[in-house]
Amino acid sequence: LAKTTQPISMDSYEGQEVNITCSHNNIATNDYITWYQQFPSQGPRFIIQGYKTKVTNEVASLFIPADRKSSTLSLPRVSLSDTAVYYCLVGVYNQGGKLIFGQGTELSVKP
Amino acid sequence: DAGVTQSPTHLIKTRGQQVTLRCSPKSGHDTVSWYQQALGQGPQFIFQYYEEEERQRGNFPDRFSGHQFPNYSSELNVNALLLGDSALYLCASSRETSRDFGPGTRLTVL
């Protein structure tokens, strides 16, 4: 499974757009890119998943360049409640198989 | 519709003891996976149960065992507890492309 590299932590202020980039140089042809959000003492929550180009839902956007060796999670106009750890996962996860989590990015949103 | 539920919420044990954690999957889900999350780390896959059998296993010793019941609920058992077993234990249930995590059980080993 492809290894991912993300920043350990990021700081932001309320109302700003936050972009978290994940590197996955060894991504395989069948791999999808999935992002999870986790609040303290809670289970991870699915945010968004994509294969290439751009995916957008009500929570975030995911940008994937043509070579798919990286991806960027974009959170528009963050609020204090977006303070959490964000995980980038790469793999074939559509069959309920095991998820491989890295260390994640701890996002701190300040007033 | 209740999501994934886990019990207990918190648990304190001493070294050498045994512990059992429980998970009830989301309605409609038939597969249960367990993860261990140490403080400051991402969740690590322990094992997965489907049709009452262990289907996949991560890099965890035999002290970690599990069970799935006919109603799809599951238990995680850990024997001979070590201090390093202190962690948040997460249960995830799934069916096809749907997957949800529970809130976890915080285990502290003293």
Side-chain angles (χ1 to χ4, degrees):
Chain A
L1 293 170
K3 180 179 176 176
T4 60
T5 303
Q6 321 173 215
I8 298 285
S9 63
M10 294 181 68
D11 291 331
S12 182
Y13 291 93
E14 281 191 294
Q16 288 186 332
E17 178 184 75
V18 171
N19 296 310
I20 305 175
T21 297
C22 178
S23 297
H24 29 80
N25 291 318
N26 297 322
I27 189 169
T29 303
N30 295 334
D31 287 342
Y32 281 74
I33 300 154
T34 309
W35 286 81
Y36 276 81
Q37 175 192 57
Q38 186 178 25
F39 299 111
S41 295
Q42 292 187 29
R45 183 177 74 101
F46 172 88
I47 301 176
I48 197 166
Q49 183 181 72
Y51 184 81
K52 62 181 179 180
T53 63
K54 177 184 175 181
V55 179
T56 297
N57 61 22
E58 64 278 6
V59 176
S61 293
L62 178 60
F63 298 92
I64 306 168
D67 66 6
R68 302 200 328 122
K69 293 183 183 300
S70 66
S71 59
T72 299
L73 174 72
S74 181
L75 305 172
R77 297 181 299 281
V78 294
S79 64
L80 296 177
S81 63
D82 292 316
T83 294
V85 178
Y86 293 82
Y87 294 97
C88 164
L89 285 73
V90 172
V92 181
Y93 296 130
N94 59 346
Q95 296 299 319
K98 68 178 181 180
L99 299 175
I100 307 296
F101 288 85
Q103 195 163 2
T105 297
E106 186 172 4
L107 173 65
S108 177
V109 180
K110 303 174 182 177
Chain B
D1 173 32
V4 182
T5 59
Q6 295 186 241
S7 63
T9 305
H10 297 85
L11 200 54
I12 299 175
K13 292 285 188 178
T14 57
R15 282 178 296 176
Q17 286 189 310
Q18 178 265 343
V19 68
T20 297
L21 310 181
R22 296 176 176 81
C23 172
S24 292
K26 181 178 179 178
S27 177
H29 286 182
D30 57 7
T31 302
V32 173
S33 300
W34 287 91
Y35 292 79
Q36 179 196 65
Q37 186 173 24
L39 201 60
Q41 302 296 317
Q44 300 298 304
F45 175 79
I46 302 175
F47 43 52
Q48 181 188 75
Y49 277 84
Y50 173 68
E51 292 186 335
E52 303 179 48
E53 291 189 10
E54 184 183 294
R55 300 292 179 169
Q56 282 185 298
R57 189 177 182 92
N59 188 25
F60 279 81
D62 292 344
R63 297 188 297 110
F64 290 78
S65 63
H67 189 77
Q68 185 180 34
F69 299 94
N71 66 354
Y72 307 119
S73 68
S74 177
E75 290 182 348
L76 165 65
N77 301 293
V78 187
N79 295 322
L81 284 168
L82 304 174
L83 295 179
D85 295 331
S86 294
L88 179 69
Y89 288 85
L90 296 161
C91 168
S93 71
S94 60
R95 183 183 179 93
E96 296 177 350
T97 60
S98 173
R99 186 201 315 261
D100 290 273
F101 280 85
T105 293
R106 173 71 64 187
L107 172 64
T108 301
V109 182
L110 302 177

